[in-house]
């Protein structure tokens, strides 16, 4: 719980009263490696903070054709946010790639916090902005950069990603086949 308070304190000062009000509504949930946090067709009811672990977002296909479109790491907010906001079922899965612990708040509790705390709206807005900026950066990357550039950016920005995520998911995330990713990795290792 202290991790999330420290994170919020970087956004806005929290009175002890506001923190108690907020933290009393947080629940911790642990998901084992490779388990679904939310399944396509379900409605997202939580905005979560990853205390520990790694989460993958993907559109299900057969095992070789899942379309991975996002990853979230410890210290990130995570949610099927479109479903959370609209209260409609989502069209994709969220999966714990490693043993994952989430600090979660329900949609209804979050609405209550917005109404009853001084810092609630600031924190909610910041979480929304972070989720939006992550999606925008990804979209721009897919439009402007080559697969090799996207892979290199992952290596620079998220070196732990390369170690913890199966290469087939990374290939899907950057929009190429696992074989094409192998060629890129071989070419890059030949340069260094």
């Amino acid at each position: 719980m202290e991790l999330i308070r420290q994170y919020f304190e970087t956004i806005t000062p929290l009175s002890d009263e506001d923190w108690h009000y907020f933290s009393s509504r947080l629940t911790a949930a642990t998901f084992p490696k490779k388990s679904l946090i939310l399944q396509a067709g379900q409605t997202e009811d939580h905005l979560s903070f990853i205390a520990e672990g790694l989460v993958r977002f993907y559109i299900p296909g057969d095992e070789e054709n899942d379309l991975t479109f996002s990853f979230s790491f410890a210290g990130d907010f995570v949610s099927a946010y479109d479903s959370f906001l609209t209260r409609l079922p989502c069209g994709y899965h969220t999966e714990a790639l490693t043993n994952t612990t989430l600090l979660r708040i329900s949609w209804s509790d979050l609405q209550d916090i917005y109404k009853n705390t001084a810092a609630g709206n600031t924190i909610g807005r910041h979480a929304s902005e972070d989720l939006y900026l992550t999606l925008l950066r990804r979209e721009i990357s897919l439009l402007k950069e080559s697969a090799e550039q996207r892979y290199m950016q992952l290596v620079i920005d998220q070196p732990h990603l390369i170690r913890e995520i199966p290469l087939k998911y990374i290939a899907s995330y950057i929009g190429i086949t696992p074989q094409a990713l192998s060629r890129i990795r071989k070419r890059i290792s030949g340069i260094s």
Side-chain angles (χ1 to χ4, degrees):
M1 292 284 187
E2 196 54 37
L3 181 65
I4 196 168
R5 183 172 187 173
Q6 290 170 4
Y7 179 84
F8 287 156
E9 291 279 352
T10 65
I11 300 166
T12 187
L14 279 177
S15 69
D16 286 340
E17 182 181 339
D18 280 357
W19 171 246
H20 178 72
Y21 196 82
F22 180 82
S23 64
S24 69
R25 284 154 177 80
L26 284 175
T27 58
T30 302
F31 297 89
K33 179 180 180 174
K34 300 291 287 169
S35 65
L36 289 179
I37 296 168
L38 188 73
Q39 189 168 355
Q42 294 177 323
T43 300
E44 176 67 84
D45 195 44
H46 295 93
L47 178 61
S48 301
F49 182 82
I50 304 176
E52 179 181 3
L54 177 59
V55 175
R56 172 174 82 118
F57 294 76
Y58 69 98
I59 298 168
D62 62 45
E63 179 59 30
E64 296 304 313
N65 292 316
D66 288 344
L67 180 60
T68 299
F69 64 90
S70 188
F71 298 106
S72 294
F73 304 92
D76 289 343
F77 283 100
V78 66
S79 180
Y81 201 57
D82 56 329
S83 175
F84 182 79
L85 291 176
T86 63
R87 314 306 305 139
L88 296 172
C90 73
Y92 49 89
H93 293 332
T94 58
E95 174 188 36
L97 278 184
T98 61
N99 292 334
T100 299
T101 301
L102 304 177
L103 299 175
R104 311 176 93 190
I105 189 157
S106 71
W107 185 88
S108 58
D109 281 341
L110 188 60
Q111 304 315 302
D112 187 50
I113 286 167
Y114 287 162
K115 289 181 209 165
N116 295 305
T117 67
N121 281 315
T122 301
I123 291 168
R125 188 191 80 231
H126 185 76
S128 296
E129 290 168 353
D130 277 355
L131 291 167
Y132 169 76
L133 289 172
T134 298
L135 291 172
L136 181 63
R137 284 186 205 109
R138 166 115 170 100
E139 188 173 335
I140 290 170
S141 172
L142 287 169
L143 293 170
K144 288 179 60 178
E145 297 172 344
S146 69
E148 187 168 325
Q149 289 170 316
R150 288 192 300 275
Y151 177 74
M152 288 304 298
Q153 199 60 51
L154 279 176
V155 171
I156 292 165
D157 292 345
Q158 307 283 351
H160 55 284
L161 176 114
I162 306 305
R163 292 188 302 271
E164 294 190 43
I165 299 176
L167 291 179
K168 66 181 180 179
Y169 298 156
I170 293 171
S172 175
Y173 177 72
I174 63 175
I176 60 175
T177 65
Q179 296 79 9
L181 179 56
S182 283
R183 288 190 294 274
I184 289 171
R185 289 168 49 93
K186 186 175 182 179
R187 189 169 46 252
I188 290 169
S189 67
I191 295 171
S192 19

